[in-house]
Amino acid sequence: MGATPPPAEVDRATAEVEQVFRQDSGRAVATLVRLFGDIDVAEEAVQEAFATALRTWPSTGVPPSPTGWIVTTARNRAIDRLRRESVRHERHVQAMHVNPGSLDPEQDEPEELGEVDDRLRLVFTCCHPALAPSAQVALTLRLVAGLQTPEIARAFLVPEPTMAQRLVRAKNKIRAAKIPYRVPSHAELSDRLRPVLAVVYLVFNEGYVASAGDVLTRTDLSDEAIRLGRMMAELMPDEPEVQGLLALMLLTEARRPARTDASGALVRLPDQDRSLWRRDLVDEGQQIVRACLRRGQPGPYQVQAAIAAVHTDAATAADTDWRQILALYDLLLALSPTPVVALNRAVAVAEVDGPAPALVLVDELDLTGYHPFHVTRADLLERLGRDDEARQAYDRALALTDNAAERDLLVSRRAHLSR
């Protein structure tokens, strides 16, 4: 038996495995789906590869290409499984048909990505119209973004067992319906676009404000969403909503450097040092917004991007053109009449007309399971001097928040209410 590696080496290797898992597990699954044509085989093989890494890397050291090691190991595990299980003969043949070289265990490096990225293929597979919209989004978050079932359940505001069943049903549907693993033809793209955009935006939001954990953000998810957005914009340059989503993500991501202070505490938009905003992303996002405006085909993502652009136009929070933002929210509410849009519009109403009429609008909404709803109520109640009610609203928001940075900010704001 080999010598036990020192604890420091175990910790370093474990941290590396966790980082690779968060950043590249989705890429590994997508690559294995391309090679073997089976989502369950791909997921299980990738999970086995990460488990093997946890056992071996502390002793052997982290390989020069950790992600390549994971993909290669997962591929070989999948080959072993397919060869071992005679009941999988049909899938074995299918895998050979998809890519005969994928069954060569002596191949040491994963294949290069093709012209269209594996993850984009997998996004469109998960967003096939044969699947329910909620299943499309959930499955893509699981397979492409690498989110775990509890994280997806929180994003959907449903119990974890409900989400687990939804994911299983969606994968079974893909298998039973023999849904192809490909980017659809241009004639099909427009019908498939809406759920794909929703998926990419949810991935971005999970990265911009992680649903749980000790840190506010997960840059790997935000970066992945923007990368997918750029790929889609290149694939569909004439789709204004694709351009709008990309602009929205760029303008939102531009604020990331100012969203936390030196200690990692969350900084609200009005309090951010705008000199820290990334001008390259602001300029790129605003340029896309101007191009969208010239098209004259407004859609929800384009309007949200325009709202973000108005915020980035203001040198200080006091310079924000809230009347223009409110007008844009009126348009957005007409295009997408959802309670969340109405909640965000109420924030603009508070800046234009005051907190009292805004609170009336907020209290009409059925969003009791949505923690920003209670944060907004707490802020409006505090501005109205109704501190006891504001404290209760902060308590409800805290009960629905699992992100440590958000919780710390809410605790601080609650503590500063006048006694």
Side-chain angles (χ1 to χ4, degrees), residues 124-133 136 173 179 184 188 191-192 195:
F124 276 101
T125 299
C126 294
C127 295
H128 193 277
L131 301 176
Q136 293 171 349
K173 180 71 172 182
I179 292 174
E188 300 173 281
D191 292 335
R192 301 277 295 276

Side-chain angles (χ1 to χ4, degrees), residues 34 110 151 168 170 211:
R34 169 169 59 84
E151 295 175 297
V168 169
S211 59

Side-chain angles (χ1 to χ4, degrees), residues 4 22 26 55 82 131 139 195 280 282 330 344 346 384 387 392:
T4 302
R22 283 196 172 273
R55 292 194 302 270
L82 289 172
L131 301 176
L139 191 60
D280 59 328
V282 169
D330 289 339
N344 292 329
L384 290 168
D387 290 354
Q392 293 174 10

Side-chain angles (χ1 to χ4, degrees), residues 10 239 251:
V10 173
E239 289 286 350
L251 291 168

Side-chain angles (χ1 to χ4, degrees), residues 295-319:
R295 290 176 182 264
Q297 302 173 24
Y301 291 111
Q302 296 172 77
V303 176
Q304 291 177 78
I307 292 169
V310 174
H311 281 294
T312 59
D313 279 336
T316 67
D319 297 328

Side-chain angles (χ1 to χ4, degrees), residues 203-210 216-218 221-222 252-256 259 272:
V203 172
F204 176 81
N205 281 332
E206 178 63 24
Y208 196 67
V209 181
L216 176 67
T217 63
R218 287 182 57 181
L221 293 182
S222 297
T252 306
E253 179 68 14
R255 303 200 298 259
R256 183 190 295 276
R259 292 186 69 231
Q272 289 177 9

